[in-house]
Amino acid sequence: MNEINIDDYQPLIHLIINRFDKQYRKELFNESYIKLFEIKKKYIPTKGTFESYAFKHLYYHCKHYIKLNNLNHSSLDELAYDEDNEETRKVDLLESTVNLESSIETKDYIQKHSKQLTQIEKFIQQKYYQSGVSVKNIIKVYQPFHLIKSEKTIRKILKK
């Protein structure tokens, strides 16, 4: 098998990053170059050429990077205008829908309450409430490991 030289694929990286906004290209080049090392380790020659394998993975890595970057670049300290056309920070324009005091009380209650539960009960509640796993899926996946008998049993545990 021929050894893959990462430096030979810089033109491929440029081909990919030129499809995206100029503001990201320097970061995308660095990200792609680093990602190329990971791709090289995972490449299986029988699945096709390294170039097509790398292109697909680098392209989607760049899209993902930009998506994350766009979400994280907006600062709440940036200036904006309120309804009176006065300059203010974005954070000051937000209306809080979360009652911080009740949120803290709820967390305290949950911590105290969870001390009274068995490990299996904590596990089931965590899967249902925090991970969003449905009762039927809890039964299907975890029944063999935890001796969960029925949906009725799980519903009782969830009410505790």
Side-chain angles (χ1 to χ4, degrees), residues 17-72:
I17 65 173
N18 285 334
R19 294 173 179 227
F20 299 99
D21 289 344
K22 287 182 181 181
Q23 70 186 38
Y24 298 110
R25 289 184 184 160
K26 192 177 275 186
E27 291 175 60
L28 286 176
F29 181 83
N30 294 332
E31 284 287 319
S32 297
Y33 196 77
I34 293 167
K35 185 72 174 172
L36 208 50
F37 283 98
E38 292 175 31
I39 292 169
K40 178 182 170 183
K41 292 176 187 174
K42 295 178 182 177
Y43 171 64
I44 301 170
T46 58
K47 299 281 182 173
T49 66
F50 179 74
E51 189 171 13
S52 63
Y53 181 79
F55 181 89
K56 180 176 75 172
H57 283 78
L58 290 176
Y59 179 76
Y60 287 107
H61 178 73
C62 289
K63 282 182 76 167
H64 181 71
Y65 179 83
I66 288 175
K67 181 179 176 184
L68 289 178
N69 202 339
N70 281 340
L71 293 176
N72 294 331

Side-chain angles (χ1 to χ4, degrees), residues 113 117-118 120-122 124-125 128-129 135 138-139 148-160:
H113 175 71
L117 300 175
T118 67
I120 293 173
E121 291 171 337
K122 285 181 191 177
I124 290 171
Q125 287 194 355
Y128 184 79
Y129 291 114
V135 173
I138 291 172
I139 291 171
I148 299 167
K149 301 294 182 199
S150 68
E151 187 174 329
K152 191 174 181 180
T153 305
I154 291 178
R155 298 244 183 247
K156 283 182 187 177
I157 291 170
L158 294 174
K159 288 181 181 178
K160 284 187 175 187

